[in-house]
Amino acid sequence: MRTQIQRKIRFWQALFCFAVLWSNTEAQLRYTIPEELKEGSIVGNVAKDLGLEVSEISNRKLRIASESAKQYFSLNLRNGDLLVNEIIDRETFCGQSTSCVLPLQVIIEDPLQFYRVEVDIQDINDNSPNFLSEINVIEVPESTLTGARFRLEPAQDPDAGTNSLRTYSLNKNDYFVLQMKNDKDGTKVPEIVLEKAVDREKQSVHHLILTGIDGGDPARSGTTQITIKILDANDNAPIFEQDLYEIKVIESTVPGTIILTVKAIDSDDGANSEVEYSFGAHTPEIIQRLFAINPVTGELVASNHLDYEISTSYKIDIRAKDKGPLAMESHCRIQVAVLDVNDNTPEITITSSPKPVREDAPTGTMVALINVKDLDSGVNGNVTLDMSPGTPFKLKPTFSNHYALVTNERLDREAFPTYQIELKAKDSGIPHLLSSKLITVNILDVNDNPPVFSEPVYCVYIKENSAPGSILASVTASDLDTGDNAQIVYSVLDTNTRDILVSSYVYINSENGSIFSMHSFDYEKTKVFHIVVHAKDNGSPSLSSNATVHVFILDQNDNAPAVIYPSTTMGSVSNQRMPRSAKVGHLATKVTAVDADSGHNAWLFYRLVEATDASLFNVNLHTGEVRTKRSVLEQDDPSQRLLIEVKDNGEPIQSTTVTVDILIEEGINEPISDSRMKTTESNKKSGKITLYLIISLGTVSVLSLLTLFTLIVKCVRNSLGSSHCCLWRTDSGYKNSNRNLQIQLNTDGPIKYVEVLGGDMMSQSQSFGSYLSPMSEFSDLTLVKPSSTTNFTDTLNVLDASLPDSAWIFESQQVSACYFCIHS
Ligand SMILES: *[C@@H]1O[C@H](CO)[C@@H](O)[C@H](O)[C@H]1NC(C)=O
Ligand SMILES: *[C@@H]1O[C@H](CO)[C@@H](O)[C@H](O)[C@H]1NC(C)=O
Ligand SMILES: *[C@@H]1O[C@H](CO)[C@@H](O)[C@H](O)[C@H]1NC(C)=O
């Protein structure tokens, strides 16, 4: 390199000297050669051109001198040819100057002569146009308007003249065209002109090839690659992948869940393509509260609890904005459909609370109105209402989700005064949601139950002579109803007991059913009576029922025995007569006494208390017969006085005494005559008695028939209820004694009495009956023979007839009631 520069410098020194010389001499010879000739190539024959002989060449010492240090030429001394000594590159000497001449000095001695030779070096196209850089990069903003010019680096061609660079060409493309511009120095500068707007998004880099072509023949060319980079302009808005996104989200979505990712693509570059997501400008507050959008990722998040019941859908506008200068944006819409989840339990509303229902309400009576509601929709909100089974109510659907609770059966407050009804609402969602409600329905009482006595028939026993105002009996009735309907008022119905109003005997406490006597009772007058108690409730209308109280008066030993034979007129003593001839066991007389009391109170015992001669008579304890103990002696006092005591068997014992005077008479011998006498004596009397008896029997028969008939009628009337009665009726009489009730005719010595015994647990005090004491005068005529009695009814009737103060019919009617009492 250094040597080349030195050489060049020397060359220019030489050229300067040559120029000096040139001023003295003029050129004699001029040759023209192309550059780049090979060594040894002949430029011309200097000798000949100078007119020298060949011989002169050596003689005159022809030689050449280069004006530069370098000897490009040499001289052939034999023939004077100028030869190329070294390959000459014109561009090296002359650059791109149009003429390139190498001067030479030809020197001839003897005489010394100088000739000047010029060698014109002609250019040949030995250089191609050359670009300094192989790749040129030009940056073109994509917003550049068409017509814009971009200067390119020109190519270099050291050749001169036509061989130098003549033109450029550009490969064919759509966007750029080539234009050439001549600089002031004449350099041809290539320029590319934007012919069509570039779009980085379509093509971000354009590759062009610029060719420089020289004017040589053949032309030579050189190329360079031009890379045009299109600089991004923010000319593209982000574009969403979809304009409308439709998504479905269940309402139970957990807050924070990503429900959708939107994506917008910006085809720009760099920040121009960086997209930021946000809600649209006028997004309602509710959406901002429920949703959030991630500005970077575009994830839509449910940030709060969704509720289908509040809103079933949302429209969300999303904005995508790039970060370029003059940011561009676009929008998309998200349609969020909220899907219902069965998250609401059905609700039961009692729109009309249950009213108390009367127990006689007809079926279908409305009790309550119920409404069910479920905020969910569709199947989840489809509610069915049920109620607990086993109640006399049902649910009657009215219109959608409304129900009426109505009665479905007859009600009975006495059985179920109140109902707890569980209403159950269930939706059809999966899983079901349930809710329930308890309602209470009270049943109102209706007076449909009569008072019921604790017993249909009461039997009470009171002692005779008890103080008036004492409590007789207490009856109670109960009523299944409530309130006034169960408030019972007792009263006594006026029935007659042998023309005496019962209300005059007794008084009832209307509130508690205690019955008080208003009299004392005398068994000997009234043995039994009955009270019909009426219980009435306070309902409207009121209901009532009756019960019968049979009051049996118990005998007390309140009557002393009364001697009826021998009859004694006040103060006097009766006289009996007997013959002195009477033997042992002679019946002197017979004391007959009666006791108004009954039973044991009327059992009489006879005892001899005092006697004129105690050894003569004795008194039969039971019969009261006074018989002789021994034969009457001569010395026996004809007048014998006996004091006989008659005692009953009651408690305390009541007694009476009778004084009997017996006259022992001579001449009256035989008892036969006595009886005959007695017969004749009482012939008149007995005729009268027979008449009485016949009348009595007739009356009694009629009465007993009537009694039987009355009983039958009564039983038929009461029939249905009382089986006892019917049993009684079929028994038709007193015949059947195989029952607890015993009716028997007792014989106790001369005392014959009927005893009606009720069961064995009943003591003597529960028996009652009529006692028949034979009246001495009629004793022989007594028709009743207990042992031979076949028809008891007859016996009773006879007995009945025989009793002077008889309530027998009354009693016999009551026998059935009593039987009932004992049994119940
Ligand atoms: C509601 O549910 C009942 C019983 O499950 C069904 O019979 C009825 O068709 C349903 N109605 C609707 C509107 O789904
Ligand atoms: C009913 O009331 C009367 C008077 O107040 C009373 O003497 C009687 O003992 C009461 N009876 C009952 C069963 O309480
Ligand atoms: C109660 O007895 C009275 C009188 O005998 C009668 O009028 C009434 O109907 C009876 N009441 C009932 C419920 O049997």
Side-chain angles (χ1 to χ4, degrees), residues 378-384 426-428 432:
V379 180
N380 293 339
N382 180 17
V383 191
T384 48
K426 184 175 91 169
D427 63 25
S428 311
H432 298 306

Side-chain angles (χ1 to χ4, degrees), residues 221-333:
S221 64
T223 59
T224 186
Q225 197 178 338
I226 296 169
T227 301
I228 296 173
K229 281 193 176 162
I230 310 295
L231 295 182
D232 184 47
N234 194 19
D235 56 350
N236 284 286
I239 293 170
F240 280 99
E241 288 174 331
Q242 283 169 251
D243 280 344
L244 178 68
Y245 293 85
E246 283 175 318
I247 52 165
K248 290 173 178 169
V249 182
I250 55 171
E251 60 174 325
S252 60
T253 301
V254 179
T257 308
I258 297 167
I259 55 176
L260 175 72
T261 303
V262 294
K263 185 160 186 176
I265 293 169
D266 190 318
S267 44
D268 291 326
D269 197 25
N272 292 340
S273 70
E274 278 177 28
V275 178
E276 197 173 52
Y277 302 94
S278 62
F279 286 124
H282 301 291
T283 304
E285 196 266 329
I286 173 78
I287 288 183
Q288 300 191 23
R289 201 165 52 76
L290 290 176
F291 302 96
I293 182 101
N294 185 316
V296 179
T297 58
E299 290 165 341
L300 183 70
V301 172
S303 55
N304 232 316
H305 285 285
L306 300 176
D307 191 349
Y308 178 89
E309 286 68 40
I310 291 174
S311 179
T312 59
S313 70
Y314 296 98
K315 285 177 187 160
I316 308 174
D317 282 328
I318 302 290
R319 174 170 62 185
K321 190 169 166 185
D322 63 31
K323 290 179 179 169
L326 297 173
M328 296 189 79
E329 61 179 49
S330 63
H331 292 83
C332 76
R333 167 158 289 187

